[in-house]
Every structure is written in C-alpha cells, then in structure tokens.
Amino acid sequence: MTDDAKLIERLDDTLGGITVPDLMHGDNLAITLCTAYDNPDQDADEETGWTPDAISGMEAVLAAIRAHYAPAFARLTALIAENERLQGGIKARDALLRAGCDLLAGEYDNLKASITMPDGSLSANPLDAWAVEKVAAMEDWIASVKATLYPATPTTEASHGE
C-alpha cells in the first residue's frame, strides 16, 4: 500500500475525529452527530456513553459522507497509481536516453578526433564539412540531454561522462 493510499485510509478511519483548530479537538464530528441522534428514552452504552440511536445515527451519517466522497477517493487512488506507473516510464526513458547519450558521446569523440587538426581546431577541408557539421550537432544534442538529465542542482546524480 502506498503512502498516499495509507493517507486516504487514515482520513477515512478518522472521519469522525475532524479537528477544528482553536475551536474543537478530538472526536468532535462524532460527538456532534451522536448528540443530534441521542435518544433520552434509551439506555446509554456503558463503553461509549451514547444511546443505540446516537451511535447508529452517527455511523449512518459518517457512512453517507464516506459514500459521497468514495468516487473522489477512488479517482485519487487511480491517479496515484497512474502517476507511479508514469514515473516508472520516465525512469526507464531516462535510462535509455542516458545510455544513448553515452554511446553517442563515444562516437562523437571518435569523429571529432578524426577531424581535429594538430592545433586543436576542426578541419577546414571541404571534404570534412559534413563531419564538422555532425560533430556540432552531436555536441549540441549531448549538451541538451545532459542539461535535461543532470540539471545543475545539488541533489542530482552526476553524468556518466562527467
């Protein structure tokens, strides 16, 4: 069960204990409902202190509230599951993109080395123009992928090539 699903379950379980800050704490909704449905002609339960009508009235209202919000909780639960599925897909996509980037970086290094002149500049030979163009495009793409996968924040992992 996810943390979100546990939160939804906890909210459902504690519905009768909604707290109003600076006003009421504890089981105030349950107490208010029991007060509304209390029957002075009945004996109070020794454990709860409320009559059977008070308890059944409170339980009926809380059940109606739960039923009213059940579609929203179901939708929220479905959205949480879909989000988790999508996050897994994003992680898989990032791993593939990272691997592709690393592979292309190796090819980039080889291609660039083959057209680099002794002074460090790229070849100006017209026959190498296509390679110079490809090296520039590869360099831009690799930089773009690295910027996407490894944003400059202290919490991200380092690039494979860095």
Side-chain angles (χ1 to χ4, degrees), residues 98 102 145-153 156-162:
R98 192 176 296 115
D102 290 347
V145 170
K146 285 184 177 182
T148 300
L149 293 177
Y150 311 110
T153 62
T156 59
E157 59 188 71
S159 167
H160 291 203
E162 296 177 353

Side-chain angles (χ1 to χ4, degrees), residues 3 6 8 20 22 30-31 40-41 60 62 65 69 75 77 90 104-107 113 120 126 128 131 142 145 153 157:
D3 288 341
K6 287 177 187 174
I8 290 169
V20 180
D22 301 324
I31 291 168
D41 296 332
L62 293 180
I65 292 170
Y69 287 103
R75 179 72 178 131
T77 301
I90 288 170
L104 186 60
E107 292 302 312
D128 291 335
I142 291 168
V145 170
T153 62
E157 59 188 71

